Amino acid sequence: MSKPDPSFEEASQQPQKGVIAEFWDFVIHNKKWWLTPIIIVLLLVSALVVLGGSGAAPFIYSLF
């Protein structure tokens, strides 16, 4: 029976990164800079959807 790969054991002991850190590493290492504006627009639209169902809705609708 073979021993497990030592790099796998080292990786399992490292602290896990958050979603934003994982995305940032992906963008930097794979040169996918065009994804950044898409993600920003999706976050802004989702913030409008969340705030649209709250007490801030009348203020948001008056902006448009």
Side-chain angles (χ1 to χ4, degrees), residues 4-54:
D5 187 13
S7 63
F8 178 74
E9 290 178 12
E10 291 171 7
S12 67
Q13 294 174 358
Q14 293 177 352
Q16 291 192 353
K17 296 179 182 179
V19 174
I20 296 172
E22 288 281 343
F23 176 71
W24 188 249
D25 285 342
F26 173 76
V27 167
I28 289 175
H29 293 295
N30 294 316
K31 308 285 192 262
K32 303 285 185 186
W33 293 106
W34 55 271
L35 283 174
T36 306
I38 296 171
I39 298 297
I40 290 172
V41 168
L42 286 174
L43 289 174
L44 289 173
V45 168
S46 64
L48 282 175
V49 168
V50 168
L51 291 175
S54 69

